[in-house]
Amino acid sequence: MTASLSPPRILLLAVHFATKSDVQSLGALVAHHPNVLRPELVLRVLLSCLPETLRSSAYVELVQDIESGALYSEADLSNSYDSSSVDDVTDAEATKKIRRLRLLPLSWTHAPKDALGDPVSLFLIRRAHRVDQEAGLLTQLPDLMVPFLHHAPCIRTWMVSTLLPLLRRNHEYYPHDPITQPLESFERLDSKSAVTLLLAQTGVHESDLPHVGRDLRGLVGPWLYNDSRWERSTDEPSAGKLDTAGGVTCPAWEYVLEWLLTQASMSWKVAVKAVDQWDGPSDVDLGGYGSEWLGDEEQGVLERRYARAALAAAYLVPEASVDALSGVNSIITKIVSLLGQDACPTLQVASSLLSPYVEPEGAALIAEKSASLMRNELLEESNYLTTPSPSATGLLHVLTLSAFILTKAGTPCNVRRAGELAFLQDEKEQKLDAMKFIRSFAANGPANDDKYWIRARNELLWLRDWGADEAVGIAGSHVCGVFAQLKKEFLEVECLKAFLAKTRYSLARSIYEDSPERPLSEEILRETLVAAAMEAYDNASNPHRGRGGLLKCDNIMHAFPGALPEAHPTSRRVEALLRATHGLSEYRLVLKKGEPFTPVVLRVHADPVSIIGKVLEQNPKSYTNVQGLLEIGSNMVDAALVLAVQSGQAKAEPGQVPANQHTTTRQRITAMCVDAALTEDDFETAYSYVVNRLAAEADPSRAADEYAWRAALQAGKYRRTARTVKPTHIGTASGNLEIRHLEQRIECLSTALRIAPPATLQEILNVFRKCEEELNAAIKADEAQESAWDDRGDLQAMPGAFSSTVPAGVTRSNTRRPKHAEEAPMSLFDLSRASISRAQRNLSALSSLQRSEESRATDAEGGWSGSPGQQRTRKRDQLREAAVGTLASGVGWLLGAQPARAEDDE
């Protein structure tokens, strides 16, 4: 049978067996016709005609026989094959068909250079391409390739560096999101695109974070297992260029490091997990298909580059959180371990130890240039911040610890921000962050845990110099920190304020007053205490000194008896302020609509005494508590709230009060009370304040007494109305309320005249003149009314009255002196004569009473007795003159007067 088949028919039969997947018959055919079916031709037939869906195990044995040559040297001719498919085909037809077969060549354009002279290697690789491209059976390729790993290094290299990464990526790690490119295209990808595709799903989901190291180990590691990923350069390396081993670089590795930096800036957890779970180029998973192949020098280069990238990633982590900073510290710990340096403590331990850090001599790490290196050229060899060295890792650790302390307290800060504070040394920025830090630990800290406050103070001071304060003065040392530009005194002052704000008085006193080494001088301590007390005062909402901010202010002023004794002028001034504020708490007071009075308004008010005027306006009858209001005003003066406003008067020194300030304030408040009393029609109280308070303390030489004279003038202008409060007692004053009121007004105007400036006297005199005219008119009207009343009494009969008949010899006198007329002084002689004259009239009147008995009936009717020519006298005048007659008998003997005769009386 074998002799009857021509070569074209043999080849045509081989194609037929391959097409029908009859590998056994094909092998028998090759064994019977080894001279026609040479190994390369058989491989081309298999590559071109064997179905790609056929399992690899079905034809691997045939390929092995071809590869080993056993099929040609030790052929088993006992195996037969069926040639009936070509029995009817002539040689010419077979030749014609063979020419149309177009068998695929084993070689192709992008074939590996190492496999070009090896038909088996070329067949295996190209067969793998076709199986993946035509059938998508990538998972069957290991069965094809593994038996031939020992055949040639290129097969192992291709299996590990190309097939294994894609197989793992699409079918083991992320089958739900495979790479869509076929194997042949994936093999031709540049390093950057390949790394991007291989790591596209790494760490995308939170559940994938535990597998970041697996991906780098199982995808990137095998991908680098290929000499084509490396480049050799004949140029001499220069400063700043990549670290190389004998001029050999690995661009694929650099892309992996760039991917790591990208993840650090976009998804820091992926970067942290990558460094934590992956040890770098030596940590690869080749699936058992290969072993480490890098030289020591090459591996050293990759490891140094990996360490540099890890340090660079630490600077790029943007998130300012405790977890992120802990992740950065884990990167530092891992790199320190890989470099064989001393172990790095955790941030929690480091924050409790607060070990000092001093820049190594000659390192020059703390410089303005370093701020730029944190952002740019991170992977360059010239960047000393990312150089894998003890100085770089030590600096990164102290920056991370600084950011951790700030973040833990509530002031978010990342490593880059901490570096900017330390490198740029911008005092404004450092002060801003320091104040945020102090406010944060003060706001978030427990109120009763002294250990917390002591630790917070220690951390604040450590951030200033990184614990190296004692190293100042040592040759070659350079002390620095994130708050290095701030004075220690400033930080101590702010820390003390935080202690006081949280009522940690005992702790603050033990540190700043009782400690042998006082952090602050006595003067600065006193100023800080007063500032804290005033801050508590300003933040108070209740003016009662036993509550809220005023209570805190009072406690602060008494918490440090050594720095602020009660006799100190500042203590007295603050005490006066508290008293004044507390005094106002007794009244309802609203300075702006809808805004109740707060203590800070009193302290910043341009004219605090005017607040008392608001009190008088909003609290009826409050003017009656003039003494309490005067005490409030006095406390305002003692608290240095009232400033001298007189022209030419020098400003008082702190703690000193101008001599006349108390008097001026009392006059002003009293004047306010006078105005308030007049507004409420309480003239009696206003009059009392004018004559008893304003007039007593008035001094015309002081221009500030304008309050007194104006109040007196207003009281003098007041006119009684129906709403005017009536006096409770009159005393010796006139019983006529109108006359009494006018007299009081004149007295107020008199007070105004005494104390008013000369320029205002004309105005006061005009009011005084009008008031005097009104008083004279009122007196005359009162006299006329009294006379009319007396006349009505004479003409009317009153029960029990004497007879209206005038006895004979008695004359009536109509002359009546006004009550207000003043009598001239009389000598003793004139007095005696007047008494005798009156006594004579009385005696005649008494004798006439006996003769007028018969006319009582007429007198009872209101008639008059006596002759028409005689002067009539009223009965009450007769009784009054009779009563005075005893004076004549007592004084007449002194002058030797004779009794009056009747004719003289007539």
Side-chain angles (χ1 to χ4, degrees), residues 130 411 421 431 632 761 829:
R130 291 184 61 80
T411 306
L421 293 173
K431 185 175 182 180
I632 295 176
L761 293 180
F829 180 77

Side-chain angles (χ1 to χ4, degrees), residues 684-699:
E684 294 296 327
T685 301
Y687 165 75
S688 174
Y689 291 165
V690 170
V691 299
N692 295 326
R693 295 182 180 274
L694 295 180
E697 295 185 357
D699 185 357

Side-chain angles (χ1 to χ4, degrees), residues 632-660:
I632 295 176
S634 177
N635 288 324
M636 289 181 181
V637 176
D638 292 338
L641 299 178
V642 182
L643 302 178
V645 295
Q646 290 90 338
S647 60
Q649 182 172 352
K651 186 177 179 180
E653 296 295 330
Q656 298 180 357
V657 178
N660 65 336

Side-chain angles (χ1 to χ4, degrees), residues 268-281:
W268 63 268
K269 292 183 179 180
V270 176
V272 169
K273 291 295 183 180
V275 177
D276 187 51
Q277 300 173 9
W278 188 40
D279 293 339

Side-chain angles (χ1 to χ4, degrees), residues 9 142 187 210 225 295 307 397 399 477 628 865 891-892:
R9 294 173 64 188
E187 182 181 3
Y225 191 88
H397 176 69
L399 290 175
S477 64
S865 61
V891 184

Side-chain angles (χ1 to χ4, degrees), residues 22 37 51 87 153 156 173 210 259 326 456 467 526-527 536 539 601 613 631 690 713 737 753 783 800 863 877:
D22 190 356
L37 299 176
D87 289 344
R156 185 183 300 274
Y173 296 170
W259 174 87
S326 298
R526 184 181 303 113
E527 292 176 356
N539 293 331
V601 175
E631 289 180 1
V690 170
L713 175 59
L737 295 181
L753 285 172
E783 289 179 350
D877 293 333

Side-chain angles (χ1 to χ4, degrees), residues 277 322 324 358-359 489 491 529 628 688 702 736 833 905:
Q277 300 173 9
V322 173
V358 180
E359 183 182 16
E489 181 182 275
L491 297 179
L529 293 175
S688 174
R702 293 198 304 269
N736 189 318
R833 291 187 58 186
D905 294 335

Side-chain angles (χ1 to χ4, degrees), residues 483-542:
F483 299 151
Q485 290 298 311
L486 303 181
K487 295 182 179 180
K488 185 177 181 180
E489 181 182 275
F490 169 78
L491 297 179
E492 290 283 11
V493 167
E494 296 301 324
C495 188
L496 173 58
K497 290 181 180 179
F499 285 177
L500 297 177
K502 286 296 184 178
T503 67
R504 309 311 304 152
Y505 306 130
S506 299
L507 176 61
R509 184 169 60 250
S510 64
I511 295 176
Y512 296 98
E513 186 176 65
D514 299 339
S515 175
E517 298 179 358
R518 295 186 177 182
L520 298 174
S521 63
E522 185 174 351
E523 181 180 358
I524 295 178
L525 175 60
R526 184 181 303 113
E527 292 176 356
T528 304
L529 293 175
V530 175
M534 290 299 96
E535 183 178 3
Y537 178 91
D538 294 342
N539 293 331
S541 58
N542 193 330

